[in-house]
Amino acid sequence: MLALADEPPAIDAAQNVYFPYVLEIEAPDDLFDLLDKHLDLSRMETEKRMTREQLLRLIDNAPEAVSGLLSTEGYFSPTVKIKLGESSVPALVSLYVDAGQPTLVRNVDVNYTGDVIPDEARMKRLIDRQEQTWPLPKGSVFRQSAWDDGKRRVISTLLNRRYPAAKMLHAEASVDPENHTVDLTVDVDSGPAYYYGPLSITGLSHYPEKLVRNNIQFHEGAEYRRNDLLELQTYLQNLPHFSLVLVDVDLPTDPPYIAPVKVTVQEAPLSKISTGLGFSTNTGVRGSFDYRYLNLLDRAWVLDTGFRLQQKEQSFNAGVTFPRFASGYVHRVYGSFVREDIQGLATSTWKTGVSRSISDESIDRLIAIEYQMERRELNDGTVSDPQSLTAKYQWVRRDVDRIRNPRSGNVITLEGGGALKGLLSDESFVRLYGRGVQFWPVGEKSVVVGRLELGDTFTKESFNVPSDWLFRTGGSSSVRGYDYQSLGLSAGGSTIPGRVMAVSSLEFQTPVYKDWLGAVFVDHGGVGDQWKDWRGSTGVGLGARWVSPVGVIGLDVARGVEEKQFRVHFSMGVTF
C-alpha cells in the first residue's frame, strides 16, 4: 500500500532558488540503513543546488523507490507515507515506512537436464551441496541478493567442472502477496560432459615449449576443470618471460566432446635494466643497478645480477633461476658479496648456494644449501674469519585480506637451519627463528598491528658462527627509538650479534586524510648471549603512513626509553 499523507503543494515553475531540507526516516531498524543509503531523498539532502521543484519531484517518486528497495529484502506490501513541512528552514521531509509482513520462501525447486542426469555420483554431490549452501531454504525471508547468489551457485557448480557449456533455462520467483510467500524455480541444462583435448601453444619465438608444458598440472583426456585453466594462466602470467597470457578451450557442439586447450602468449623483452635511488634511516642513501636476461643458453633460464651502494652497506649478487619443474618446484643457483660497517662491526661476506622453492596461494616453502665465508673486524682490531656450509628450511604463510595494506589476517614466518663442524664449517650450530604479524581491524578503517619475533642459535661457541646466523636488532621494522642493529652484545668497542633474540611490537593505525594514516606504537626487544642474560629495550612513538601505489611508506619519531634518545625512522625508494 502506497499513500501520501499530504498532497504536495503546487509547483512554482519560476522558483529556482536553493531550497534546503532535512529528511527524517521512521522505519524498522533492519531497514533504516538501506533506505538512508540508497534513497535519492537521502543522498541529495546535502545538494547545494536543490530547488523546491526538484524536491517535490523527489517526494513524488519516493513511495515507488521505497517499495522497490524493500522488495529486495522480501517486503512486497509496504505502507509508505511522506510529508513536507515548510514552516521551518531548512524544510522538514518526514518519511514513515511500515514494511508489513516479510515474504517467506514456500518451495524451492531446482531441476537439472543434460548429461549430468546419468552421472549419479555428480548428481548426488550437486544435491548434497545445494542442501548445504542454498542461501534461501524453506521458511527463510526472501532477499533479492540471496536469490541472485543462489542462481549463480547452481550454474557455476556445473561450469566449474566437467560441464563448461551449462546454461540456465529458466529462473522464476513467484510471489503470492496474499499469503506473503514465494515459490522459487530454477531449471538448468548441464550440457555435455567435456574432457581435455590436445594442447596448442602460440606466440613463442624465443623460449622452448617446455616452459609452458612443465607448468601444466592436467593431462589430455582428464575431465574439464575451470580451476586448472585459471591456475595455469595465473602462473604463466606471473613469469617474467610473458607480458600477456590467455588460456582457453574450444568447446565443440557435437560429439565427441573433447575440448582442445589453447595457450596464447606474448613474450616480454629478453633484457631489462632497472636503476634506483632511495634513502633509509637504517643504511643511509641508496643507489642500485639491476640487470635481468630471460633466456640464458636459449633455455628460458633467468639470469639476474645487481648491486647496491649504500652508506653503511654495499652488495653485489648474481643468480640463475630455472623454469619450474612439472613437480611445481623452482630451482636457483646464486652468489653474492656484502660489505657492511654497522655499529663498529665491519663484515665482508661471500655466499654461494642453491635453493629449491615452491609456492601456492598462501604458503611459500624454501630449502637452501649455502656456503658462506665471512671476515669480521671489531673496533679494537679483533678479527675472525668464520665459514660454514649450511642447510636451511623456510616456511611463510600469508593470510591477509589484501597484500598492499592489510587490515585483517596474519603473516607467519618460520625458519630452521644449521651447520656441522668439520663439514666446511668452523662450528656446529642450529638456528631457529620465528616471526608473526597479526592485523586486527578496529571500526571501519582503523587497525591494530601486533608483531612478535623470536630467535635462538644453539651452539657451544658463537665466535665462529657467521653473523647472518646470529642476531642483532634495533631500527625501523624492529625496535624503533634505537639505531639500526644497535641492540646486541658489546665487545671490543663494537656491537656484535648474540645467540638469542626477542622483539615484540604493538601499533595502532587510523586514517587521518585520504591515503594518510596516523600511528602510535610501542616496541620492546633485545639480544642476549643466553636467555638468562637477555635484556629488552623499549621504544615508543608516533608515526605517519602513506598508502602509495607501490606500498606503505612510513615516517616514525620514536623515543628509546632506556637510552633517553629520540630517533627518526624513515624509508622511501623510487625505481625507474
Side-chain angles (χ1 to χ4, degrees), residues 463-479:
F463 184 76
N464 289 321
V465 177
S467 299
D468 285 352
W469 293 83
L470 298 168
F471 303 98
R472 285 193 294 178
T473 190
S476 62
S477 76
S478 180
V479 183

Side-chain angles (χ1 to χ4, degrees), residues 203-488:
L204 287 176
S205 59
H206 296 101
Y207 309 121
E209 280 199 355
K210 69 178 182 180
L211 179 62
V212 174
R213 293 186 181 276
N214 280 353
N215 292 293
I216 297 175
Q217 306 298 311
F218 53 90
H219 57 84
E220 186 175 347
E223 68 175 32
Y224 169 91
R225 292 176 68 251
R226 183 158 60 179
N227 277 348
D228 291 336
L229 307 181
L230 293 176
E231 289 173 3
L232 175 61
Q233 179 167 308
T234 299
Y235 183 81
L236 293 178
Q237 187 68 73
N238 288 334
L239 289 177
H241 305 79
F242 304 122
S243 58
L244 179 66
V245 177
L246 296 175
V247 180
D248 202 359
V249 294
D250 282 331
L251 300 178
T253 56
D254 300 315
Y257 297 107
I258 304 300
V261 180
K262 300 187 302 181
V263 178
T264 304
V265 301
Q266 180 177 310
E267 295 180 343
L270 291 178
S271 299
K272 181 180 180 181
I273 295 176
S274 302
T275 59
L277 294 173
F279 174 79
S280 167
T281 49
N282 283 346
T283 54
V285 177
R286 177 178 68 251
S288 65
F289 176 89
D290 295 280
Y291 172 74
R292 184 177 67 184
Y293 182 68
L294 300 177
N295 197 26
L296 186 66
L297 301 180
D298 292 326
R299 295 176 177 267
W301 296 353
V302 178
L303 168 69
D304 56 88
T305 62
F307 63 82
R308 303 285 186 274
L309 298 179
Q310 303 177 86
Q311 289 175 283
K312 299 179 181 180
E313 179 182 292
Q314 303 82 45
S315 65
F316 172 81
N317 65 81
V320 176
T321 303
F322 306 98
R324 185 172 75 168
F325 288 6
S327 62
Y329 283 92
V330 174
H331 296 81
R332 174 177 168 80
V333 295
Y334 58 90
S336 67
F337 170 77
V338 179
R339 166 69 181 175
E340 293 181 326
D341 190 353
I342 300 173
Q343 299 298 319
L345 179 65
T347 60
S348 297
T349 305
W350 294 262
K351 294 181 184 179
T352 184
V354 58
S355 67
R356 172 181 169 93
S357 61
I358 188 170
S359 301
D360 58 23
E361 291 183 357
S362 60
I363 296 178
D364 298 336
R365 301 176 180 87
L366 178 141
I367 300 173
I369 297 176
E370 185 176 274
Y371 177 66
Q372 174 176 338
M373 296 186 299
E374 180 181 74
R375 179 174 179 82
R376 193 162 54 200
E377 183 175 354
L378 278 61
N379 270 345
D380 65 357
T382 302
V383 175
S384 61
D385 298 288
Q387 65 170 342
S388 65
L389 177 65
T390 59
K392 179 178 76 172
Y393 177 78
Q394 182 185 71
W395 182 90
V396 180
R397 191 196 72 177
R398 299 174 182 85
D399 183 15
V400 292
D401 58 341
R402 54 195 181 192
I403 296 297
R404 189 164 65 98
N405 183 32
R407 289 196 65 245
S408 66
N410 55 67
V411 179
I412 298 174
T413 301
L414 300 175
E415 294 180 5
L420 288 175
K421 184 176 182 179
L423 188 61
L424 294 178
S425 302
D426 295 334
E427 189 67 54
S428 295
F429 60 88
V430 173
R431 180 183 185 271
L432 300 178
Y433 170 79
R435 183 178 191 267
V437 181
Q438 179 70 46
F439 300 89
W440 294 282
V442 178
E444 292 186 2
K445 296 183 178 180
S446 300
V447 61
V448 171
V449 183
R451 173 170 49 90
L452 178 64
E453 289 183 83
L454 294 172
D456 197 332
T457 300
F458 301 90
T459 182
K460 291 182 179 180
E461 175 56 61
S462 62
F463 184 76
N464 289 321
V465 177
S467 299
D468 285 352
W469 293 83
L470 298 168
F471 303 98
R472 285 193 294 178
T473 190
S476 62
S477 76
S478 180
V479 183
R480 287 160 288 189
Y482 298 85
D483 290 334
Y484 179 52
Q485 294 193 358
S486 64
L487 300 179

Side-chain angles (χ1 to χ4, degrees), residues 118-154:
D119 188 349
E120 295 182 0
R122 185 65 185 279
M123 280 298 301
K124 184 178 185 305
R125 289 196 299 270
L126 287 174
I127 294 172
D128 290 344
R129 181 168 182 172
Q130 179 186 322
E131 291 177 350
Q132 296 171 5
T133 64
W134 179 256
L136 289 172
K138 292 181 181 180
S140 63
V141 176
F142 175 85
R143 288 183 171 84
Q144 185 65 43
S145 59
W147 172 231
D148 293 338
D149 181 47
K151 291 183 288 184
R152 281 193 300 267
R153 292 188 186 191
V154 169

Side-chain angles (χ1 to χ4, degrees), residues 156-211:
S156 65
T157 301
L158 290 168
L159 291 172
N160 288 340
R161 186 169 184 173
R162 193 177 297 182
Y163 303 100
K167 58 184 178 180
M168 189 170 296
L169 301 177
H170 177 70
E172 182 179 11
S174 180
V175 178
D176 182 348
E178 292 185 2
N179 295 312
H180 302 286
T181 59
V182 61
D183 297 325
L184 306 178
T185 303
V186 180
D187 296 326
V188 178
D189 178 10
S190 71
Y194 284 87
Y195 297 86
Y196 291 125
L199 172 75
S200 63
I201 305 170
T202 58
L204 287 176
S205 59
H206 296 101
Y207 309 121
E209 280 199 355
K210 69 178 182 180
L211 179 62

